[in-house]
């Protein structure tokens, strides 16, 4: 397996982007991204609509080809690790009419270990059951996914990620359209996974949540505008540059206002 450029370091970064450009239909979506995420880190990816956050995640899991540059995991290029990355997509990207049960979806998280033509082992069934119980949806195991609420759907995909036992967990807007209880259980799950040294990268439009629950924030809009602590990244100058919008202070919070929506953030200075 060919080594990545980051493997020249004595301790390769867990995830390493070097000058990555991604195009869709010849249109650049991400341009010249370079950054690294160390193992066990917890990173919030923020930016306006159309910034390329979903494209970023799809590139990491190999769903979109790179126009140029490289992405490495544990010092090896994409494909060098089997089932290393779990991806929780936006719920809008899933066909909820597909005729599968909750248990079927969670078992998909084991396919990298089972292989597509083999039957699940006792260990696989135990991992699925444990994930269902941890997300408190064991009672829904035989329910068709189309019959679930938004919060239940989110829990199913979190359970699938748990069953996969990943090194890196990618979550694309997991808090959109879910109830407060699901948001709280998701944040608790992130704490548990971080205790196990799992790297977590999550996209969100909620700047307040990014600042209060993530030690690192990556500010993206086609290119990388800033990456570091919330205090360093989420200041009015960076936000105005990335969002192309007005930023003002309201009750100790910075508010980003564009043509379609507003984003709040506390204590951005």
């Amino acid at each position: 397996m060919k080594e990545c450029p980051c493997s020249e370091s004595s301790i390769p970064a867990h995830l390493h982007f070097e000058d990555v450009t991604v195009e869709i239909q010849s249109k650049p979506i991400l341009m010249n991204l370079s950054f690294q995420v160390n193992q066990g880190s917890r990173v919030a990816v923020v930016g306006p609509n159309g910034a390329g956050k979903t494209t970023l995640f799809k590139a990491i899991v190999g769903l979109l080809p790179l126009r140029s540059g490289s992405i490495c995991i544990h010092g090896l290029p994409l494909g060098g690790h089997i089932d290393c990355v779990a991806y929780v997509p936006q719920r809008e990207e899933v066909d909820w009419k597909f005729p599968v049960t909750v248990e079927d979806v969670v078992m998909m998280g084991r396919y990298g270990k089972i292989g597509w033509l083999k039957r699940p082992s006792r260990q696989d069934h135990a991992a699925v059951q444990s994930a269902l119980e941890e997300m408190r949806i064991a009672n829904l195991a035989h329910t068709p996914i189309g019959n679930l609420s938004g919060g239940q759907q989110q829990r199913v995909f979190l359970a699938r990620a748990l069953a996969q036992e990943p090194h890196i967990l990618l979550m694309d807007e997991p808090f959109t359209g879910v109830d407060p209880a699901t948001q709280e259980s998701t944040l608790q799950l992130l704490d548990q996974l971080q205790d196990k040294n799992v790297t977590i990268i999550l996209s969100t439009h909620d700047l307040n949540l990014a600042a209060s629950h993530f030690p690192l924030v990556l500010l993206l809009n086609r290119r990388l505008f800033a990456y570091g602590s919330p205090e360093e990244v989420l200041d009015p100058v960076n936000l105005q540059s990335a969002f192309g919008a007005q930023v003002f202070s309201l009750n100790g919070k910075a508010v980003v206002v564009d043509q379609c929506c507003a984003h709040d953030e506390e204590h951005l200075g």
Side-chain angles (χ1 to χ4, degrees):
M1 179 66 69
K2 182 181 178 182
E3 290 188 344
C4 272
C6 65
S7 64
E8 297 174 1
S9 169
S10 58
I11 304 177
H14 200 201
L15 176 65
H16 182 102
F17 272 60
E18 183 167 303
D19 201 25
V20 169
T21 294
V22 180
E23 294 180 348
I24 298 179
Q25 297 180 345
S26 300
K27 179 181 178 180
I29 305 299
L30 298 175
M31 296 176 288
N32 308 115
L33 296 188
S34 294
F35 65 91
Q36 68 180 39
V37 180
N38 294 326
Q39 187 166 355
S41 297
R42 186 157 151 172
V43 182
V45 181
V46 300
N49 291 328
K53 299 185 290 293
T54 297
T55 298
L56 177 76
F57 290 161
K58 289 184 175 181
I60 294 173
V61 295
L63 293 177
L64 290 174
L66 307 186
R67 175 65 177 83
S68 60
S70 63
I71 301 175
C72 314
I73 298 173
H74 295 316
L76 295 175
L78 294 181
H81 295 275
I82 298 175
D83 213 35
C84 180
V85 182
Y87 173 42
V88 179
Q90 294 185 36
R91 289 186 297 111
E92 290 76 9
E93 295 190 18
V94 178
D95 180 5
W96 294 104
K97 296 180 181 179
F98 195 73
V100 292
T101 67
V102 167
E103 186 177 40
D104 294 332
V105 173
V106 179
M107 184 61 76
M108 292 175 187
R110 302 294 298 175
Y111 284 175
K113 297 175 173 62
I114 299 170
W116 286 95
L117 300 179
K118 296 181 180 179
R119 295 177 64 85
S121 66
R122 184 175 300 176
Q123 181 180 357
D124 296 316
H125 283 291
V128 168
Q129 182 63 28
S130 175
L132 290 169
E133 291 174 356
E134 186 161 353
M135 295 311 302
R136 300 193 295 278
I137 53 173
N139 61 312
L140 300 175
H142 304 296
T143 303
I145 59 171
N147 294 350
L148 303 178
S149 68
Q152 290 169 335
Q153 291 170 351
Q154 188 64 51
R155 289 171 184 262
V156 170
F157 275 88
L158 289 171
R160 185 182 69 172
L162 284 176
Q164 187 173 330
E165 300 174 333
H167 300 172
I168 300 173
L169 175 61
L170 308 176
M171 304 181 70
D172 194 0
E173 297 288 351
F175 302 120
T176 300
V178 301
D179 56 275
T182 297
Q183 176 168 316
E184 184 59 32
S185 66
T186 301
L187 290 171
Q188 291 174 1
L189 173 64
L190 299 187
D191 290 337
Q192 295 167 16
L193 292 175
Q194 193 169 25
D195 289 341
K196 298 178 182 178
N197 216 26
V198 175
T199 301
I200 298 163
I201 307 176
L202 180 151
S203 68
T204 179
H205 281 97
D206 188 337
L207 302 181
N208 181 53
L209 183 144
S212 59
H213 289 88
F214 289 81
L216 294 171
V217 177
L218 189 151
L219 180 58
L220 181 71
N221 189 1
R222 304 296 178 104
R223 64 181 180 86
L224 181 64
F225 277 80
Y227 177 46
S229 69
E231 294 77 16
E232 295 170 324
V233 173
L234 297 174
D235 69 71
V237 173
N238 285 337
L239 291 175
Q240 186 169 8
S241 297
F243 281 85
Q246 183 180 2
V247 182
F248 64 92
S249 178
L250 178 64
N251 296 328
K253 298 182 179 181
V255 181
V256 180
V257 179
D258 57 28
Q259 294 179 349
C260 64
C261 52
H263 306 275
D264 294 346
E265 179 55 53
E266 66 176 352
H267 307 305
L268 300 184

